[in-house]
Amino acid sequence: MRRRRNGSVWMILPLYIFTLVFVAGPLLYMFALSLAMPNETHGVDWNFTLENYKRILDTVYLNTFAQSFKLAVTSTVIICMTGYPFGYYMARMSESRKKRAMLFLMLPFWVNSLIRLYGWIIILQNKGILNFILKKLGIIEKPLKLLYSYPAIVIGMVYVLLPFMVLSVYSSAEKLDWSLVEAARDLGASRTKAFWTVTFKLTIPGLLSGVILTFIPSMGLFFIADILGGNKIVLVGSLIQEQMTRGGNWPFAAALAVVLMALTTIMIILYRRITNVRELEGIG
Amino acid sequence: MTEICLELKNIQKSFTEGEGVLKGISLTIGKGEFITLLGASGCGKTTTLRIIAGLERPDAGQVFLGGKEVTMLEPEVRDVNTVFQNYALFPHMTVAENIGYGLKLKKVPKNEIKKRVTEMLELVQLPGYEKRRPSELSGGQKQRVAIARALINNPKVLLLDEPLGALDLQLRRTMQTELKRLQKKLGITFIYITHDQEEAINMSDRIAVMNQGRFEQIGTPDEIYNHPKTSYVATFVGNANILYGTVENREGTKALVEFGCGSALVEMGQKCPSPGEKVTLAVRSENILLDESGSIGLEAIVKEKSFAAGQLRVTLKLPGEEEVIASRYGIDSNVAVGQKVCWNFHPEAAVLVDCKENMAQGEAPGEETYA
């Protein structure tokens, strides 16, 4: 018995080492960094200070956080509303169609997301494809200013993160026992009622993990706002990146990152509380 | 039969082109009747049930419930409830929420629902289980909850799709008795699906034996067991031996039939065939009489001897490669494998099956389209 336990420790030891070196290490280093003082020339003075955190309380930076949060919530809500039906219908398709849909869903991953975002510039710009089509159809007279706007960033976010929601909902809808829906219909539920009382309730875990998979990145993805937002809207992600590179203030960047991480963690905990994960236990 | 409760008229259904799952079945069920659809898996019994429930639409034919046509109606508006094979209890609800689901949809007041749920739990002998979750229940308990959830809606017909299939033998027997008790008490029409002939005979008022999308025979357990009309019913329900022979001679209602290994006298009743006619006879294994000395009767060689469930089974090989099984309670036979024996049966033990006038009932109009 003892031997076996020792053996299993050795088996997972590489995993511990990997986690320590590549996850815990950098995180601790970043936390330490956030409590240090910046040096005049791109370096760090290892003197303890809380200055970096105090600086975040400045309205400019608080606004940046608010802005990022608003964008993340907007994107996540839109992703939920589009990704859920997508994943749900995919789960109800025939086997061959499922495979095809999965292929189309994965296809964009073969191209770097930066390049795909540049594609959106071509679509959204003033003389772009979208404006061209809208004009030809007579819906608009003057080209719409789509690029370098808040909606453009939202489009970019939704575009990049949607597949994660679709896959997450799909995997939980796929496992759903459809005879439960039939049982609900048999007991007097209309299609809609059966969906909300059975299907939706049982696929909430999928939706939940989809929300986590999309909300966290959307708080930090800086390049989307840079490319499609034209630097007009500053998000926490962009701010961290800028402080890290051009600003040369590593400790402040680290403090921003720690706060961002803490906020997302709190969000997830709150979200799980609200949706009452306990109630959904025992669903496989 | 009293008042008609449910009527199926020439129902046809196929899932793949040209392959009929149901080839035109018709059935009339009376109010308060316990009817069993009996058949091997894939014979179309579950499809029949799903069509009655409204979970499947027939390609042709009509379903009448309480005199009204419901063929194309959605399942939620039909006065029919189902107990599913895998129970299909909602895992995210408690036992009480599961049972009260139908009433909640009907906007019955909460207090009333609570009262009715408690009553139902008492009826299925699970008092105090309101707060449990389906994952905390045993198979038998899940079954009871599924039954309570269906019965609380007071349906005109309760459909049960192999409800006891997943339970062990002991529990099956208890549940059989209990289901029968419930049905008698409530007076609701039960349509029960099973592939277990013993279960069908124990519980049903009538049995409809299904084979390849058709009814082979519909009748009381006694009719099905003692007077099978087709060789399929005889073998599936009664584990009977099927013997093929030719009528040699006729004396009143009795006929002397030649089997290729000897002749035997058979009581044919009113429909006695004339000499020269080919006949198919069903004789249940317990009615095969062995003569170990091997002097009187039909000839055979003992091929196999086995002992199971208190029964000795002797497999006899006939000269024409056919096999006949004789079974006997208790070990009182000294026959040895390879021994030459003689066998026989009482003239009354053989039942004439597969004759033309008998087959007519199994066939239904519209059959040509699938022929």
Side-chain angles (χ1 to χ4, degrees), chain A residues 22-274:
Chain A
F22 294 104
V23 181
L27 277 178
L28 281 173
Y29 177 65
M30 194 180 70
F31 185 64
L33 207 56
S34 74
L35 297 170
M37 281 206 292
N39 190 301
E40 299 297 311
T41 53
H42 254 88
V44 181
D45 280 332
W46 289 102
N47 295 324
F48 177 80
T49 176
L50 284 174
E51 254 335 286
N52 300 314
Y53 287 99
K54 274 185 197 148
R55 200 174 151 198
I56 293 173
L57 296 175
D58 191 308
T59 8
V60 181
Y61 300 123
L62 285 182
N63 274 343
T64 310
F65 271 100
Q67 185 87 262
S68 299
F69 183 71
K70 198 180 125 199
L71 179 72
V73 170
T74 318
S75 311
T76 306
V77 167
I78 295 173
I79 289 167
C80 282
M81 290 190 323
T82 49
Y84 186 89
F86 196 148
Y88 170 81
Y89 282 113
M90 224 171 101
R92 299 222 70 171
M93 284 175 184
S94 66
E95 283 307 313
S96 60
R97 283 195 174 187
K98 257 181 209 172
K99 273 187 193 145
R100 218 175 308 156
M102 190 66 89
L103 181 73
F104 282 125
L105 195 67
M106 300 309 267
L107 214 52
F109 286 104
W110 295 359
V111 178
N112 186 292
S113 60
L114 271 177
I115 296 168
R116 284 184 282 135
L117 282 174
Y118 280 112
W120 275 103
I121 295 182
I122 299 168
I123 296 170
L124 296 174
Q125 66 194 350
N126 284 2
K127 288 176 185 171
I129 298 165
L130 193 60
N131 272 319
F132 178 78
I133 292 168
L134 290 176
K135 222 168 150 184
K136 277 280 172 206
L137 290 172
I139 296 167
I140 52 162
E141 282 175 16
K142 268 196 282 179
L144 292 173
K145 182 128 186 41
L146 296 166
L147 196 59
Y148 307 132
S149 67
Y150 188 76
I153 303 175
V154 175
I155 289 173
M157 286 282 190
V158 171
Y159 170 72
V160 170
L161 299 171
L162 187 67
F164 298 103
M165 176 61 82
V166 174
L167 288 174
S168 175
V169 170
Y170 168 78
S171 71
S172 89
E174 240 248 310
K175 276 183 277 174
L176 186 77
D177 177 4
W178 296 104
S179 72
L180 294 176
V181 182
E182 287 187 340
R185 299 286 313 277
D186 186 71
L187 291 165
S190 63
R191 263 172 225 280
T192 336
K193 196 82 194 169
F195 173 80
W196 287 112
T197 52
V198 178
T199 316
F200 184 71
K201 284 251 170 106
L202 290 174
T203 47
I204 283 179
L207 188 68
L208 194 85
S209 60
V211 164
I212 290 166
L213 280 174
T214 53
F215 183 79
I216 298 173
S218 65
M219 279 293 278
L221 279 179
F222 59 87
F223 60 91
I224 295 172
D226 284 356
I227 295 169
L228 298 176
N231 262 336
K232 267 194 210 161
I233 294 143
V234 180
L235 301 175
V236 183
S238 330
L239 187 65
I240 294 171
Q241 184 234 5
E242 200 171 283
Q243 289 296 326
M244 208 75 182
T245 55
R246 262 174 291 167
N249 192 341
W250 285 22
F252 183 52
L256 285 168
V258 168
V259 171
L260 178 62
M261 227 168 61
L263 278 178
T264 39
T265 311
I266 291 166
M267 283 294 305
I268 292 163
I269 292 168
L270 281 179
Y271 190 77
R272 284 184 158 244
R273 280 270 166 81
I274 295 164

Side-chain angles (χ1 to χ4, degrees), chain B residues 280-330:
Chain B
T280 310
L281 296 168
V283 185
R284 283 209 301 275
S285 57
E286 66 262 32
N287 290 333
I288 301 277
L289 309 168
L290 280 185
D291 177 11
E292 283 133 45
S293 56
S295 50
I296 320 152
L298 302 115
E299 288 169 14
I301 290 166
V302 178
K303 192 192 169 197
E304 221 176 273
K305 245 174 100 175
S306 64
F307 195 76
Q311 229 180 14
L312 178 76
R313 284 164 59 91
V314 181
T315 310
L316 304 171
K317 204 174 135 243
L318 307 191
E321 290 306 303
E322 290 150 307
E323 282 178 3
V324 167
I325 293 169
S327 63
R328 199 73 73 255
Y329 281 101

Side-chain angles (χ1 to χ4, degrees), chain B residues 206-249:
Chain B
R206 277 198 303 159
I207 298 171
V209 183
M210 273 188 103
N211 183 29
Q212 296 179 359
R214 256 177 231 161
F215 288 133
E216 287 267 335
Q217 187 178 351
I218 303 167
T220 62
D222 174 63
E223 282 167 358
I224 298 281
Y225 192 69
N226 293 320
H227 309 283
K229 287 189 171 160
T230 67
S231 50
Y232 182 84
V233 175
T235 47
F236 194 80
V237 181
N239 295 322
N241 294 294
I242 300 297
L243 306 169
Y244 302 96
T246 317
V247 177
E248 268 189 337
N249 217 332

